[in-house]
Amino acid sequence: MPIRVLAPELINQIAAGEVVERPASVVKELVENAIDAGARRILVEVEGGGSELIRVSDDGGGIARDELPLAVASHATSKVSTSEDLAAIRTLGFRGEALASIASVSRFRLSSCERGAIEGAELCVDGGIMGVPRPAPPRQGTVVEVRTLFYNIPARRKFLRSEGAETARVTDALEAIALSHPCVAFELRSSGRRLLDLPATDEPRRRTLDVLGTDLAPELIEFEEHFPELGDLVVRGFAGRPGIARPSARAIRIHLNGRPIMDRLVLHAVREAYRGLLDHARTPTVALILEIDPREVDVNVHPAKSEVRFRSQQGIHSAVRRAIERALRGANLVPTFVPDAFRTSAPFGSGMASSTHTASPDFSAFAALSAAAGVQRVEAVAASEPAISEVYIDEFPFMQVLSGYIVTQDADGVVLVDQHALHERAMFAMFMDRLQRGPLESQRLLVPVIIECSARSVGALAEIAPLLARLGVVARAFGPRSIAIEAIPTLLHSRRVDAGAFLSDVLEKAVEHGSLVSLEAALHEVVDMMSCKAAVKAGDELTRVEIRELLRMRESIERSSACPHGRPTSIRIARSELERRFGRS
Ligand code: ADP
Ligand code: MG
């Protein structure tokens, strides 16, 4: 075929491929236009999941009759005119492409009336072929109607999902926009049925709860932080407690200057903030609203504008992470939970753990722990049982049950603790804290431990040398497929952790990650592993002194509500729940 310049309809249809994927993307573009036009009320109506009809009506500024053809022309916009404008976008739209694209793949009608005009005008476009403007009633604002989307691109139309699925996406898209525009009222109707009704409010909190569900209110921790040094960045929103995390990545909603985005950098920062509070398969429920000087961000990197580029990627990442971390730190994250078995209230009075010391773990780890966690020791720690009751008389009672759990109480109720999970978390906190201050102490082995491994692992050894040095591990290649371990962290040594198994695991992690993506992330993983290896096991019987130490850690370490893998360390049964169950309320 000879080379030709494409016909304008075809150009628009190609552009539509990027911007208009499905009804929800049409709704997004039309609603953004309405918001840019200053609308206070926006009504979205759909039929057939939007594939039959999408109608968006607003009460915004409207379009002048003689500008209607321009509105649906490609690369025509009222929002930017110079490249300086492009560098500081304050509107949701700026590409001047949406209406042209949508009109090229549908039967399209645009009807509008400017504020104060005595008559409105409308324009129909059929598969990109424009009609002529005609008079319309003087209803202030704009109505855009999109019928039989993709009727002229059957291949695309075929890919639309069921009515229910497309309607759900439309709902999601509208909710996403509504979240960062609380001052605008939104309504969604599907074949006449009202699916969403979000009244305007000047309280962002109210809108967030309207969208996420008012019943979630107790599970959401509100935060707001300002970072003047980062282009007046404001980071605010709600961080959900770990209990309401979801299996879908969509549980994280991110907004930037009024625009829902799905930015990988920001998503990563949010997940980092929850590191260790959730297992990997779950996504925290978070509504994150970012406001920043538009010159600090480029929104023109993605046709649907869902990804952005920040001038200070690193700065934004750490601001988001810090803001959410602080919110979580300030909150009590122990999940309240009512086991069914609890209905028959097994008495706690029996079966107090006997304090035999035979099986109890090496105490030095506890000693190191409390020092790291800044816990002041009340007495010299002895392996025998001193008169505990005198020392801890003013504190809450506790006991070990089923040789793996500790039962105690706090101000809000009865607390059940998984000793391994909590000790693991405590070890993790201690290791991380120690690592801030320099490499871990290492213990030379009397005889080097030789391990057999893959050539690749031997190669990885050199790559992770800095990591090993920080951990207090001394190891060297001993042959093409073997490694000699000469020293390991004292803490692992004293907990009788197998040096060979430990280093093999570290190397496996390194190989799995290609090289080490970032030292920090690798360190987290390895420390995770070290903590697990060093922690008391579920079957270990603990002395009362040890249990006491462990419970103290719960108070003083960060994120003690979950182990480093995100499993809970503790579960609380609220006093109010007990009262209710025993008929005392
Ligand atoms: P963009 O939003 O990128 O400018 P669009 O194709 O979405 O491009 O819209 C083109 C132009 O049509 C807008 O710049 C605006 O001037 C006008 N317009 C579109 N929708 C509306 C609306 N609901 N109310 C008022 N003006 C609108
Ligand atoms: Mg637009």
Side-chain angles (χ1 to χ4, degrees), residues 33-34 36-37 58 62-63 71 76-79 93-100 142:
N33 279 347
D36 282 346
D58 70 53
I63 307 172
T77 176
S78 55
K79 299 169 194 176
F94 58 86
R95 297 168 60 98
E97 244 176 15
L99 293 190
T142 302

Coordinates of all heavy atoms in Angstrom, one line a residue, residues 33-34 36-37 58 62-63 71 76-79 93-100 142, ligand 1:
N33 N -14.7 16.7 32.3 CA -15.0 17.9 31.6 C -16.0 18.8 32.4 O -15.9 20.0 32.4 CB -15.6 17.6 30.2 CG -14.6 17.3 29.2 OD1 -13.4 17.5 29.4 ND2 -15.0 16.7 28.0
A34 N -17.0 18.1 32.9 CA -18.0 18.8 33.7 C -17.4 19.5 34.9 O -17.7 20.7 35.2 CB -19.1 17.8 34.1
D36 N -14.3 20.5 35.2 CA -13.5 21.6 34.6 C -14.4 22.8 34.3 O -13.9 23.9 34.4 CB -12.7 21.2 33.4 CG -11.5 20.4 33.7 OD1 -11.0 20.4 34.9 OD2 -10.9 19.7 32.8
A37 N -15.6 22.5 33.9 CA -16.6 23.6 33.6 C -17.2 24.2 34.8 O -18.1 25.0 34.7 CB -17.6 23.0 32.6
D58 N -24.5 18.3 33.3 CA -24.0 19.2 34.3 C -24.6 20.6 34.4 O -25.3 20.9 33.4 CB -22.4 19.2 34.2 CG -22.0 20.0 32.9 OD1 -22.4 21.2 32.8 OD2 -21.2 19.5 32.1
G62 N -21.0 25.8 30.5 CA -21.6 25.6 29.2 C -20.6 26.0 28.0 O -19.5 26.5 28.3
I63 N -21.0 25.8 26.8 CA -20.2 26.1 25.6 C -21.0 27.0 24.7 O -22.2 26.7 24.5 CB -19.9 24.7 24.9 CG1 -19.3 23.7 25.8 CG2 -18.9 25.0 23.7 CD1 -19.1 22.3 25.2
A71 N -15.4 22.1 20.1 CA -15.3 21.2 21.2 C -15.1 19.8 20.8 O -14.5 19.0 21.5 CB -16.6 21.4 22.1
A76 N -8.5 20.4 20.1 CA -9.1 21.7 20.4 C -9.5 21.7 21.9 O -10.2 20.8 22.3 CB -10.3 21.9 19.5
T77 N -8.9 22.7 22.6 CA -9.2 22.7 24.0 C -9.2 24.2 24.5 O -8.6 25.0 23.8 CB -8.1 22.0 24.8 OG1 -8.4 22.2 26.2 CG2 -6.7 22.5 24.5
S78 N -10.0 24.5 25.5 CA -10.0 25.8 26.1 C -9.1 25.9 27.3 O -9.0 26.9 28.0 CB -11.4 26.2 26.5 OG -11.9 25.2 27.4
K79 N -8.3 24.8 27.5 CA -7.6 24.7 28.8 C -6.2 25.0 28.8 O -5.6 25.4 29.8 CB -7.9 23.3 29.4 CG -9.4 23.1 29.7 CD -9.8 21.7 30.0 CE -11.3 21.5 29.9 NZ -11.8 20.2 30.1
G93 N -8.7 18.1 32.3 CA -8.4 17.9 30.9 C -7.4 18.9 30.4 O -7.1 19.9 31.0
F94 N -6.8 18.6 29.2 CA -5.9 19.5 28.6 C -5.5 19.0 27.2 O -4.9 19.7 26.4 CB -4.6 19.7 29.4 CG -3.8 18.5 29.7 CD1 -2.9 18.0 28.7 CD2 -4.0 17.7 30.8 CE1 -2.2 16.8 29.0 CE2 -3.3 16.6 31.1 CZ -2.4 16.1 30.2
R95 N -5.8 17.7 26.9 CA -5.4 17.2 25.6 C -6.3 17.5 24.4 O -5.9 17.4 23.3 CB -5.2 15.7 25.7 CG -4.2 15.2 26.8 CD -4.3 13.8 27.1 NE -4.1 12.9 25.9 CZ -3.0 12.3 25.5 NH1 -2.0 12.5 26.3 NH2 -2.9 11.6 24.5
G96 N -7.5 18.0 24.7 CA -8.4 18.4 23.7 C -8.7 17.2 22.8 O -9.0 17.4 21.6
E97 N -8.8 16.0 23.3 CA -8.9 14.9 22.5 C -10.2 14.0 22.8 O -10.7 13.3 22.0 CB -7.7 13.9 22.7 CG -6.9 13.8 21.5 CD -5.7 12.9 21.8 OE1 -5.6 12.3 22.9 OE2 -4.8 13.0 20.9
A98 N -10.6 14.2 24.0 CA -11.7 13.2 24.5 C -12.9 13.3 23.7 O -13.4 12.3 23.1 CB -12.0 13.5 26.0
L99 N -13.5 14.5 23.5 CA -14.8 14.5 22.8 C -14.6 14.1 21.4 O -15.5 13.3 20.9 CB -15.4 16.0 22.9 CG -15.8 16.4 24.3 CD1 -16.6 17.8 24.2 CD2 -16.6 15.4 25.0
A100 N -13.6 14.5 20.7 CA -13.3 14.1 19.3 C -13.2 12.5 19.3 O -13.8 11.9 18.4 CB -12.1 14.7 18.8
T142 N -24.3 21.7 30.4 CA -24.0 20.8 29.2 C -24.6 19.4 29.4 O -24.5 18.9 30.5 CB -22.5 20.8 29.0 OG1 -22.0 22.1 28.8 CG2 -22.1 20.0 27.7
Ligands
ADP1 P1 -10.0 18.8 27.1 O1 -10.9 18.4 28.2 O2 -8.7 18.1 27.1 O3 -9.9 20.2 26.8 P2 -12.1 17.6 25.5 O4 -12.2 17.0 24.2 O5 -12.5 16.7 26.7 O6 -10.7 18.2 25.8 O7 -13.1 18.9 25.5 C1 -12.8 19.9 24.6 C2 -13.3 21.2 25.0 O8 -14.8 21.2 25.1 C3 -12.9 21.6 26.4 O9 -11.7 22.2 26.4 C4 -14.0 22.5 26.9 O10 -13.8 23.8 26.4 C5 -15.2 22.0 26.1 N1 -16.1 21.2 27.0 C6 -16.1 19.8 27.0 N2 -17.1 19.4 27.9 C7 -17.6 20.5 28.5 C8 -18.6 20.7 29.5 N3 -19.2 19.7 30.1 N4 -18.9 22.0 29.8 C9 -18.2 23.0 29.3 N5 -17.3 22.9 28.3 C10 -17.0 21.6 27.9

